[in-house]
Each structure stands twice: as C-alpha cells, then as structure tokens.
Amino acid sequence: MPMNTIYEGPNALPEVIPVFPLAGALLLPRGQMPLNIFEPRYLAMIEDALHSPHRLFGMIQPDPAHPGPDQTKPNLFRVGCVGRITQFAETGDGRYLVQLTGVARFRVEAELAVETPYRQCRVTYAPFADDFVGHKGEDGVDRESLLRALSDYLKANDLKADWQGIEHAPNEALVNALAMMSPYGAAEKQALLEAPDLKTRAEILVAVTEIELAKGRTSGETPLQ
C-alpha cells in the first residue's frame, strides 16, 4: 500500500516522534533508506517503533554550525523527514537491518524531556502538506538539465549508472533518489531537504553538482573523491 494512501495528510501522523540524528543522511517522501542499527539506544528505538501503531521515526541531521555543549546530544536542524519501517531483519550479531520509507517532512516544535535512551520531539507536518501528494510538481522539473549534470558528474568520477532505469524513472523518484544518494555535505543535504518544491530541489541539485565539478576543473583534481 503506498505511503500516501496510508497517510493522507498531516493529521494522520503522530505529533510526537522518536528522532534519529544522523549527519549526512537525507530521507525524502517516498524515498527508501537502508539503515544498519547497532547502537543500544537506537536498537531500543527500533523495538519501540515496531511495537507502535505507526512504526515511524524521524531522520534529522545534527547542525554542525551550532553543535551545542553536549557532544552526545548535538543540536539538530529544525527540519527532518519521518519514515515508516517497511522492512526489518535481525542479524546474528545483535544488529537490526531496517528499510525506512519516507512519508513527510516535519518541523521540530520542541524537543521533549523523556526517559527513553533516544530523543523525541514534538513536530508539525503542516508546512509540508504537499508531501502527502505523490508526483506533486513533476511537470516543473527541468529533467534535461538534471540528466546533463548527472552525466557530467559520472564522467568526471569515472562512474557508471543504469541509464535505462534512469530514463524510465518518474521525475519525483529521479530527483529524490539522486538527492538522497548525492555525496554532498550537511548544508547541501539540508537545502535539498528543505526545498519548497520538486522543481527547486532539482535546481539545487544541479547547481551544487555544477559547483563541485567546477572546483574539480579549477584544482585539476577529480571532484568529490
């Protein structure tokens, strides 16, 4: 059952969610993120999520510009994305292998004082109501520019891609998959996450890729290696 069928709008999601701070991790609506869970506090989070009605938790990045006084509890960006556990497996050495499917972005309203070993926040999804509508804004994406930037990046890094799959991918899936897989830093990932629409996200992705390629050409080095 598609995520946007299970959750038809912001009111269908809980206001309080566990959050998993992870630098460089970008989850987007309907995107799929594999996670290898091994820290005890996040093993507990997964167990609690699996026993809850929604099987949800939020992915959010620590804010490197404002790390905060406690290294074990860094300050967070204000926007993340909640996902639903759609695959789960246990390993023989105590780890959990999870696939998280993005549902909608959220804005943190407050972090709660909780007894759980993992952090929990009260959030709102209202600013991102369009996330519940699949394929929203696909017609505005400049697909040609996006594919050209991807091709240039692959050539510069001597990488290959499944072009047949790429050419058949809908614009939403293509933009969000490329954004999630992109090798850029926390600030760039956050800009991609917070883009107001799919068109803007694609434009940011193209612009960042072109900047990185230009840096590589200027320095004489292959970029992003």
Side-chain angles (χ1 to χ4, degrees):
M1 187 179 292
M3 286 295 120
N4 57 330
T5 301
I6 298 174
Y7 304 107
E8 295 181 348
N11 292 334
L13 293 170
E15 294 182 0
V16 174
I17 58 171
V19 294
F20 185 4
L22 187 60
L26 174 60
L27 179 68
L28 291 166
R30 287 167 290 281
Q32 295 182 334
M33 173 180 286
L35 292 168
N36 178 12
I37 309 294
F38 55 88
E39 285 191 56
R41 55 181 166 171
Y42 297 124
L43 293 171
M45 182 189 73
I46 296 299
E47 290 170 0
D48 289 349
L50 288 170
H51 287 92
S52 71
H54 293 277
R55 304 203 308 270
L56 296 171
F57 62 90
M59 296 299 303
I60 194 164
Q61 289 198 107
D63 184 352
H66 305 91
D70 186 352
Q71 293 183 350
T72 65
K73 194 177 179 182
N75 287 333
L76 305 175
F77 280 108
R78 305 308 294 174
V79 176
C81 184
V82 69
R84 179 181 170 93
I85 298 172
T86 50
Q87 290 186 24
F88 168 81
E90 297 182 73
T91 67
D93 56 2
R95 293 175 293 120
Y96 292 158
L97 303 179
V98 169
Q99 179 172 277
L100 195 66
T101 299
V103 177
R105 292 171 292 172
F106 60 81
R107 184 176 298 279
V108 174
E109 294 190 324
E111 182 167 353
L112 306 181
V114 293
E115 295 183 359
T116 55
Y118 52 86
R119 301 165 73 174
Q120 299 188 51
C121 293
R122 186 173 70 249
V123 303
T124 177
Y125 312 95
F128 309 107
D130 284 348
D131 287 358
F132 296 88
V133 183
H135 309 291
K136 179 79 172 183
E138 284 193 326
D139 292 344
V141 172
D142 185 346
R143 189 180 179 99
E144 183 178 344
S145 293
L146 184 65
L147 293 179
R148 182 168 58 249
L150 174 62
S151 177
D152 290 346
Y153 174 79
L154 293 173
K155 288 177 182 176
N157 289 276
D158 195 24
L159 299 172
K160 298 186 183 299
D162 175 14
W163 280 105
Q164 184 175 0
I166 289 170
E167 289 169 358
H168 287 89
N171 280 349
E172 181 189 49
L174 179 63
V175 172
N176 287 350
L178 292 177
M180 287 175 61
M181 292 186 296
S182 66
Y184 305 125
E188 291 82 4
K189 289 287 184 76
Q190 197 65 25
L192 290 165
L193 175 67
E194 297 188 25
D197 51 46
L198 198 64
K199 176 178 182 291
T200 307
R201 183 173 297 134
E203 290 171 349
I204 293 171
L205 190 56
V206 170
V208 172
T209 301
E210 290 177 346
I211 289 169
E212 293 298 330
L213 288 170
K215 287 180 182 177
R217 286 191 290 269
T218 301
S219 66
E221 299 175 354
T222 303
L224 305 178
Q225 291 288 340

